[in-house]
């Protein structure tokens, strides 16, 4: 990030981090929609992608009302997201679904630690976004069915999930301890066991071992 880039208050920066997460979710689900074989998957993923982009827009508008530039703040976080994307390139549609399931689940747990410090109405907006589980439910149901029907896919996705969690935890810690957010690093570290436990539960729900 250039030295001249402005730092923002905790509220705007935290909401920008959440907004950028929604933007990446939109991009991933839109891509998955175009590569899906089944029409019902295409339609569902397209709808879910549109919801994520709507969340991005709403968060951006609130950031603007705080007197900050949402795009500029998102650019602050982009390098870390880009590195993670490059290190976790899915080889097919199922791996892309799994990537979203693991990444969004872990990041949403961390985001909850970050948004605890937000003031209203930003806090309620952030919680509304984080509490929307429609994308997670679709992916969980879709992967659970396919994993149960294909043992080779199950083994491959279990290994892929382990790589994803290792990469995501490291990058997430870097993001949450960025000085622009003003979050105490001890809070981030203290949340790691719960985040890891939640990930294990989500993988078990798929019928996979974390």
């Amino acid at each position: 990030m250039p030295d001249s880039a402005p730092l923002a208050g905790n509220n705007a920066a935290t909401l920008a981090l959440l907004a950028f997460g929604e933007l990446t979710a939109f991009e991933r689900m839109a891509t998955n929609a175009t590569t899906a074989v089944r029409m019902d998957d295409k339609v569902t993923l397209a709808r879910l992608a549109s919801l994520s982009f709507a969340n991005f827009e709403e968060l951006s508008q609130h950031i603007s009302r705080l007197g900050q530039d949402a795009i500029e703040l998102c650019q602050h976080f982009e390098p870390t997201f880009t590195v993670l994307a490059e290190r976790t390139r899915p080889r097919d549609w199922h791996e892309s679904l799994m990537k979203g399931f693991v990444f969004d689940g872990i990041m949403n747990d961390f985001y909850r630690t970050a948004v605890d410090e937000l003031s209203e109405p930003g806090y309620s907006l952030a919680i509304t976004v984080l509490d929307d589980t429609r994308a997670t439910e679709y992916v969980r149901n879709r992967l659970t069915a396919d994993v149960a029907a294909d043992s080779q896919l199950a083994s491959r996705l279990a290994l892929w999930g382990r790589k994803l969690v290792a990469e995501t935890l490291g990058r997430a810690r870097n993001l949450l301890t960025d000085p622009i957010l003003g979050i105490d690093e001890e809070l981030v570290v203290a949340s790691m066991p719960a985040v890891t436990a939640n990930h294990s539960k989500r993988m078990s729900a798929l019928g996979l071992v974390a």
Side-chain angles (χ1 to χ4, degrees):
M1 179 184 177
D3 292 340
S4 59
L7 292 180
N10 182 12
N11 277 7
T14 300
L15 291 172
L17 175 58
L18 185 56
F20 197 79
E22 290 297 305
L23 184 60
T24 61
F26 158 75
E27 293 174 331
R28 183 181 59 252
M29 287 188 286
T31 298
N32 289 341
T34 64
T35 56
V37 174
R38 288 171 24 180
M39 182 57 66
D40 58 337
D41 288 320
K42 288 181 179 291
V43 173
T44 300
L45 285 163
R47 286 173 177 160
L48 292 170
S50 69
L51 289 173
S52 285
F53 193 74
N55 287 337
F56 170 79
E57 291 280 58
E58 190 169 3
L59 288 162
S60 296
Q61 290 168 9
H62 186 72
I63 292 168
S64 296
R65 290 193 289 270
L66 293 174
Q68 296 289 338
D69 187 322
I71 301 300
E72 194 168 8
L73 285 171
C74 284
Q75 287 174 335
H76 178 85
F77 300 111
E78 185 175 16
T80 300
F81 279 87
T82 298
V83 170
L84 179 62
E86 290 174 349
R87 292 179 62 89
T88 57
R89 292 187 182 277
R91 294 174 295 177
D92 59 25
W93 189 75
H94 282 102
E95 286 194 2
S96 187
L97 285 186
M98 174 64 87
K99 179 176 178 177
F101 186 75
V102 172
F103 178 77
D104 291 345
I106 290 174
M107 290 306 301
N108 283 2
D109 284 342
F110 277 119
Y111 290 152
R112 289 181 185 277
T113 298
V115 304
D116 277 347
E117 303 301 318
L118 292 178
S119 58
E120 293 290 4
Y123 174 78
S124 292
L125 173 57
I127 290 299
T128 297
V129 170
L130 293 174
D131 281 349
D132 188 339
T133 60
R134 282 174 286 185
T136 298
E137 289 170 359
Y138 160 76
V139 175
R140 182 180 62 243
N141 292 336
R142 191 67 172 81
L143 288 179
T144 299
D146 289 355
V147 162
D150 187 338
S151 60
Q152 289 187 340
L153 177 64
S155 297
R156 181 160 61 86
L157 289 183
L159 289 173
W160 176 234
R162 293 183 192 114
K163 175 178 174 59
L164 289 170
V165 70
E167 293 286 350
T168 303
L169 284 174
R171 300 299 164 183
R173 180 170 178 174
N174 289 343
L175 281 170
L176 270 292
T177 55
D178 189 313
I180 195 174
L181 297 176
I183 300 174
D184 188 337
E185 185 171 0
E186 291 184 1
L187 290 177
V188 178
V189 174
S191 69
M192 295 284 281
V195 171
T196 303
N198 287 341
H199 167 72
S200 296
K201 291 176 183 177
R202 286 189 292 267
M203 291 292 283
S204 294
L206 297 181
L208 301 176
V209 177

